[in-house]
Amino acid sequence: MLNKRIEKITIQILDEYKINELPVPVNEIAIKRGLEIKAYDLGEDVSGVLVIKDGLGFIGYNPTESKVRQRFTIAHELGHYELHNKQNESALFVDKQFKVEFRNQDSSTGEMSREREANAFAAAILMPEKLLVKEIKNHHFELSDDDNLQELAKLFNVSVSAMTFRLMNLKLLSQY
Ligand SMILES: [Zn+2]
């Protein structure tokens, strides 16, 4: 699946629920999509799971990880649900401490793996381009300034590294 398509799907979801406030209420979105969310003892090396049984979806997240990480995990599992499993009656996704960062492929025909797709979905829904541009402008943030970058990440309730990769993928921040 192309990154552009994933961006479009997340915008449609955000528009459907008229979400304009920050931080993006990802749990609320997942619940509205029919998913149940629960803290779950997954073992220390598992960040999250998506279970679909008899057409009903359940997201389990690891409560011992940081809050921003939990949010990203829930967004990632929602990505699997929206992009990969919606029509399935039963499916199981188990995510071991996956990396938050991903790079967009330069080639416009570059297809992404499912894990990269779920990460792209998570980044796009937690940090919508439109809201990012608006906040950067309103706050007069200088993205080369570490304090500003941290403040921006805080507004969106994401980690600084997730924010940095998102800004690079959107070409709002130049790659190192
Ligand atoms: Zn995954």
Side-chain angles (χ1 to χ4, degrees):
M1 193 180 293
L2 297 174
N3 195 53
K4 233 195 212 163
R5 170 123 184 80
I6 295 170
E7 292 284 332
K8 210 171 157 190
I9 290 168
T10 60
I11 290 167
Q12 278 169 352
I13 293 171
L14 293 166
D15 283 350
E16 188 177 337
Y17 303 119
K18 299 185 172 50
I19 287 159
N20 278 306
E21 81 270 31
L22 290 176
V24 170
V26 69
N27 288 33
E28 208 179 288
I29 294 170
I31 290 163
K32 280 181 174 158
R33 302 306 269 183
L35 290 163
E36 204 182 317
I37 305 170
K38 262 189 204 152
Y40 208 67
D41 184 7
L42 303 157
E44 61 178 15
D45 64 333
V46 178
S47 294
V49 290
L50 171 68
V51 184
I52 299 173
K53 204 170 173 257
D54 305 323
L56 295 174
F58 162 80
I59 291 173
Y61 65 90
N62 188 333
T64 66
E65 294 185 323
S66 69
K67 291 281 178 207
V68 287
R69 181 58 208 224
Q70 292 171 27
R71 254 170 80 70
F72 199 91
T73 296
I74 290 163
H76 175 106
E77 301 306 338
L78 178 61
H80 280 311
Y81 181 71
E82 295 292 334
L83 305 175
H84 307 137
N85 283 286
K86 239 186 151 179
Q87 61 282 33
N88 293 0
E89 279 296 297
S90 295
L92 172 65
F93 271 72
V94 178
D95 284 298
K96 299 208 166 177
Q97 296 178 325
F98 56 88
K99 286 205 163 85
V100 163
E101 58 262 33
F102 77 99
R103 297 266 170 119
N104 283 350
Q105 256 121 346
D106 285 335
S107 158
S108 60
T109 56
E111 296 260 330
M112 289 190 280
S113 73
R114 285 180 158 200
E115 289 318 307
R116 286 165 68 99
E117 286 175 358
N119 276 350
F121 179 98
I125 203 150
L126 293 173
M127 297 165 276
E129 184 172 15
K130 204 173 81 181
L131 293 180
L132 268 178
V133 170
K134 192 173 119 190
E135 291 302 317
I136 292 165
K137 205 175 151 204
N138 285 353
H139 292 266
H140 305 289
F141 281 145
E142 281 296 336
L143 299 177
S144 54
D145 181 306
D146 282 349
D147 291 340
N148 282 186
L149 197 61
Q150 256 178 44
E151 253 184 274
L152 186 65
K154 211 172 160 187
L155 280 172
F156 285 79
N157 201 2
V158 297
S159 69
V160 173
S161 68
M163 179 56 79
T164 303
F165 275 90
R166 177 65 171 155
L167 293 171
M168 290 196 297
N169 283 332
L170 291 172
K171 305 212 178 347
L172 293 169
L173 193 66
S174 55
Q175 313 226 349
Y176 297 103

